[in-house]
């Protein structure tokens, strides 16, 4: 039996945080909001199971990320959004430091970007990232290392060190 | 920049985004989830009905049809019909297969427009569905967990079979090859790997190493006998960005794919590209060096700012296209015209005026017949005749040859 109260509490307590995290992964506010809300709808669809998971937030984050990399969905929603609103100003209201980081992140590979965001923003360990992404721990370490190397010249302030 | 400083800036920025976000109310999200759940239950019920009521496992589960109007795909009646899905046509009109807005694959009766669910599939996605030239097999894309898979099912019914990972299936004129689009996740030659819980265990192999680092989009042609795949990059976009691909169409001789693509970054970059699959060469409308051999239309010849958003080959080698206006920022779509044009873009016939707010036209053409979507309304047109509204509630459709 799905409990609306527990879902609402979970949603209200985590949706903004996940939108922030997805924004760092996708670089688009519209896409982040769209994908996160789609993921929550899927979570409610099977809330009797998802609510029993140890970390439902990780489930929603993973689904939202996978939704975000669906090419067909991206193309369709991009067309719809452009028709409704024109090209959005994604950087309005954000600090220049953060805009610079997001711009740099968009220039590294998607898997590296995901690993970097999960490590530096979400605060997961390498093992936790491996579990969430389904990659081996060594692969996660390599993605973090190569991602940092790729980011360093883009941020123009030298190395990103651990 | 030190790690802590990087993390701190990232955290503060994400917090800014979170604070400025305007997510929907939880009750709205629950309603959205309930609709998905309802659709899933509905499709399961349809499958059970089809198996239970059909002789030989195949019967009509009729979608209700308004008197005198197009048949809606959404409502379901308990009545059943006995004629074959691909049975006698009305005035020679062939059958149509479609994907409803509920994600169900259906075969539309050519007389009534009533649809019969073909599979228990509930998560079919657009925006292309394709039928083999002998009319025996339907290819379609489904969302399977977090991945998109292409599956096939006999037109007479049966169990869907996994074909490969990808979207936008388009069967070649000889039925031997399947063109589709595959997204590549991550860099290098790594195969697609989806870690989403409950996702398909599809192999994702054969992606090749064409697109380099980062997520890329590839056009793939798969030999349906041997499984061998040829991978081509998506059409080049503007700068370093890659275009999204929205539709694929084989030329009548099977030598070329018409690749509809766009937009890139903003409301620009829509175009039709011709891909010679033998030489792996793209011909694009804005490539001046290819002007003499490009044979690819540019809508700007009709009107500045216009673009061809989607196109398919007609049986004689001309094109059936959706011409839209206007590209640029801010986006302001004011017109959508369905046209037959020559390979170089000369208008041969205006078929119809479409809705400017539709998402996908799902164009298809066979000898003597055209079909397209306007919004989610399905229109059909006999050769040279004005289109008529045939059914509503679809996100993709194709003729049964």
């Amino acid at each position: 039996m799905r409990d609306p109260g527990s879902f609402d509490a979970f949603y209200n307590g985590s949706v903004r945080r996940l939108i922030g995290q997805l924004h760092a992964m996708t670089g688009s506010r519209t896409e982040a909001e769209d994908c996160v809300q789609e993921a929550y709808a899927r979570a409610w669809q099977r809330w009797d199971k998802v609510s029993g998971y140890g970390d439902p937030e990780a489930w929603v984050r993973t689904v939202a990320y996978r939704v975000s990399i669906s090419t067909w969905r991206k193309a369709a929603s991009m067309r719809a959004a452009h028709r409704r609103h024109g090209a959005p100003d994604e950087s309005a209201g954000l600090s220049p430091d953060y805009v610079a980081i997001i711009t740099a992140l968009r220039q590294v590979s998607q898997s590296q970007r995901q690993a970097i965001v999960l490590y530096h923003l979400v605060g997961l360990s390498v093992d936790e990232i491996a579990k969430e992404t389904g990659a081996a721990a060594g692969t996660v370490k390599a993605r973090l290392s190569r991602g940092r190397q790729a980011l360093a010249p883009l941020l123009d302030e030298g190395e990103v060190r651990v | 920049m030190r790690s802590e400083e990087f993390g701190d800036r990232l955290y503060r920025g994400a917090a800014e985004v979170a604070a400025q976000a305007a997510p929907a109310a939880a009750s709205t999200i629950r309603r959205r989830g309930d609709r998905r759940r309802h659709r899933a239950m509905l499709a399961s019920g349809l499958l059970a009905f089809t198996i239970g009521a059909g002789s030989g496992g195949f019967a009509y589960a009729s979608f209700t049809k308004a008197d005198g109007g197009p048949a809606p795909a959404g409502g379901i009646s308990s009545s059943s019909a006995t004629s074959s899905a691909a049975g006698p046509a009305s005035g020679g009109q062939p059958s149509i297969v479609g994907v409803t807005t509920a994600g169900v694959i259906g075969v539309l009766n050519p007389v009534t427009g009533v649809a019969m669910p073909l599979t228990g599939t509930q998560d079919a996605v657009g925006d292309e569905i394709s039928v083999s030239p002998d009319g025996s097999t339907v290819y379609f894309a489904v969302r399977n967990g977090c991945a998109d898979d292409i599956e096939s099912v006999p037109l007479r019914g049966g169990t869907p079979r996994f074909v490969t990972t990808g979207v936008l299936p388009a069967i070649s004129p000889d039925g031997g090859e399947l063109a589709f689009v595959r997204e590549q996740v991550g860099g290098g030659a790594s195969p697609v790997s989806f870690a989403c819980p409950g996702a398909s265990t599809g192999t994702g192999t054969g992606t090749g190493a064409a697109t380099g680092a980062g997520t890329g989009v590839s056009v793939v042609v798969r030999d349906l006998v041997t499984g061998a795949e040829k991978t081509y990059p998506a059409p080049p976009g503007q700068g370093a960005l890659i275009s999204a691909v929205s539709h694929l169409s084989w030329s009548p001789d099977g030598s070329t794919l018409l690749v509809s693509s766009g937009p890139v970054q903003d409301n620009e970059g829509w175009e039709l590209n011709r891909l010679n699959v033998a030489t792996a060469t793209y011909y694009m409308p804005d490539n001046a060096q290819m002007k003499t051999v490009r044979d690819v239309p540019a809508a700007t010849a009709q009107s500045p700012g216009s673009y061809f958003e989607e196109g398919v080959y007609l049986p004689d080698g001309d094109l059936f296209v959706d011409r839209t206006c206007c590209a640029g920022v801010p986006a302001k779509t004011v017109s959508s015209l369905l046209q037959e044009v020559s390979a170089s873009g000369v208008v041969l016939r205006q078929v119809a005026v479409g809705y400017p707010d539709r998402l996908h036209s799902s164009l298809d053409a066979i000898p003597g017949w055209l079909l397209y979507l306007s919004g989610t309304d399905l229109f059909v047109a006999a050769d040279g005749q004005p289109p008529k509204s045939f059914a509503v509630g679809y996100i993709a459709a194709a003729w049964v040859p």
Side-chain angles (χ1 to χ4, degrees):
Chain A
M1 186 69 181
R2 296 179 299 162
D3 175 20
S6 67
F7 176 82
D8 289 4
F10 167 65
Y11 176 82
N12 291 327
S14 57
V15 62
R16 289 177 181 276
R17 180 167 55 244
L18 284 180
I19 288 172
Q21 293 169 4
L22 257 291
H23 177 259
M25 291 184 191
T26 64
S28 163
R29 292 196 216 197
T30 308
E31 193 173 339
E33 290 193 22
D34 189 21
C35 295
V36 166
Q37 292 181 65
E38 171 64 17
Y40 275 107
R42 294 184 190 188
W44 171 244
Q45 193 183 350
R46 46 182 74 82
W47 184 239
D48 45 355
K49 288 184 180 176
V50 174
S51 60
Y53 293 166
D55 188 356
E57 191 169 326
W59 189 95
V60 173
R61 181 168 54 239
T62 302
V63 172
Y65 176 71
R66 294 302 175 190
V67 170
S68 77
I69 59 176
S70 164
T71 302
W72 182 86
R73 193 208 59 76
K74 282 170 76 171
S77 62
M78 192 187 301
R79 282 193 235 178
H82 282 151
R83 287 197 176 111
R84 285 197 303 269
H85 310 299
D89 181 1
E90 292 284 355
S91 61
L94 301 179
S95 70
D97 279 352
Y98 183 61
V99 171
I101 287 176
I102 292 300
T103 303
L105 279 171
R106 293 188 75 169
Q107 296 178 61
V108 304
S109 79
Q110 194 136 16
S111 56
Q112 291 169 359
R113 189 188 321 153
Q114 182 192 26
I116 287 170
V117 170
L118 290 175
Y119 186 86
H120 288 282
L121 175 59
V122 183
L124 301 185
S125 67
V126 169
D127 287 341
E128 287 169 331
I129 295 171
K131 188 178 175 184
E132 182 162 326
T133 60
T139 304
V140 173
K141 287 179 185 173
R143 287 173 180 170
L144 285 170
S145 173
R146 289 172 188 163
R148 288 173 189 134
Q149 286 175 14
L151 280 177
L154 299 172
L155 292 171
D156 202 25
E157 292 181 41
E159 245 182 315
V160 177
R161 291 170 292 177
V162 179
Chain B
M1 187 187 303
R2 293 185 59 79
S3 174
E4 307 82 61
E5 187 183 357
F6 176 79
D8 183 56
R9 289 187 189 181
L10 191 58
Y11 183 85
R12 280 189 279 117
E16 287 175 357
V17 172
Q20 294 169 17
S27 57
T28 304
I29 298 299
R30 279 193 279 108
R31 279 197 297 275
R32 189 165 156 183
D34 285 339
R35 283 196 295 273
R36 292 181 62 88
R37 191 180 170 96
H38 177 70
R39 286 200 301 267
M41 294 169 67
L42 195 61
S44 298
L46 285 174
L47 177 61
F49 175 81
T50 302
I51 294 171
S55 60
F58 198 64
Y60 273 114
S62 174
F63 292 74
T64 55
K65 182 179 187 301
D67 288 343
I76 300 170
S77 78
S78 58
S79 64
S80 63
T82 55
S83 58
S84 166
S90 171
Q93 179 181 318
S95 293
I96 294 171
V97 293
V99 182
T100 73
T101 51
V104 176
I105 304 290
V107 184
L108 282 71
N109 183 289
V111 178
T112 64
V114 171
M116 176 196 65
L118 186 57
T119 72
T121 300
Q122 61 201 28
D123 271 333
V125 296
D127 46 14
E128 204 156 315
I129 184 169
S130 186
V131 185
S132 60
D134 63 2
S136 67
T137 308
V138 181
Y139 293 85
F140 56 96
V142 293
R143 179 161 296 284
N144 192 353
C146 297
D148 290 328
D149 289 342
I150 293 173
E151 297 182 351
S152 68
V153 66
L155 186 67
R156 292 285 174 181
T159 304
R161 185 176 63 86
F162 173 81
V163 178
T164 187
T165 300
V167 290
L168 303 178
I171 192 79
S172 64
D174 65 3
E177 294 180 307
L178 183 73
F180 60 95
V181 170
R182 180 181 281 151
E183 59 191 14
Q184 179 169 321
V185 183
S190 300
V192 173
S193 173
F194 290 102
C196 178
S200 164
T201 54
T203 61
T205 55
T207 53
T211 54
T215 294
V217 178
S218 301
V219 176
V220 182
V221 174
R222 180 185 179 91
D223 186 311
L224 288 173
V225 175
T226 66
E229 293 184 347
K230 288 177 281 189
T231 302
Y232 308 88
Q238 295 173 341
L241 298 173
I242 297 172
S243 292
V245 176
S246 59
H247 207 75
L248 297 174
S249 171
W250 286 91
S251 63
D253 65 2
S255 67
T256 300
L257 278 171
L258 190 67
V259 182
S260 305
S261 67
V264 178
Q265 194 157 19
D266 49 30
N267 192 35
E268 294 175 337
W270 306 86
E271 61 186 23
L272 304 181
N273 308 273
R274 202 160 57 87
L275 170 62
N276 184 318
V277 295
T279 62
T281 305
Y282 271 109
Y283 299 92
M284 295 163 285
D286 56 354
N287 187 342
Q289 292 178 328
M290 294 288 185
K291 193 167 284 184
T292 56
V293 293
R294 68 188 189 194
D295 220 14
V296 182
T300 47
Q302 293 187 34
S303 162
S306 293
Y307 55 91
F308 290 134
E309 183 173 315
E310 191 173 307
V312 296
Y313 277 103
L314 292 164
D316 62 2
D318 290 329
L319 304 176
F320 178 34
V321 300
D322 179 4
R323 197 212 84 175
T324 303
C325 192
C326 301
V329 178
K332 189 179 180 184
T333 304
V334 297
S335 68
S336 169
L337 301 176
L338 286 305
Q339 301 174 328
E340 290 182 17
V341 301
S342 70
S344 57
V346 176
V347 180
L348 305 174
R349 183 170 83 93
Q350 180 164 309
V351 177
V353 178
Y355 304 153
D357 63 344
R358 81 274 171 274
L359 287 175
H360 171 52
S361 306
S362 195
L363 310 174
D364 195 28
I366 58 173
W369 294 93
L370 302 175
L371 70 74
Y372 64 92
L373 295 180
S374 199
T376 58
D377 297 353
L378 172 60
F379 288 81
V380 299
D383 198 8
Q385 300 299 310
K388 64 176 182 180
S389 177
F390 186 61
V392 297
Y394 289 86
I395 56 174
W399 292 110
V400 176

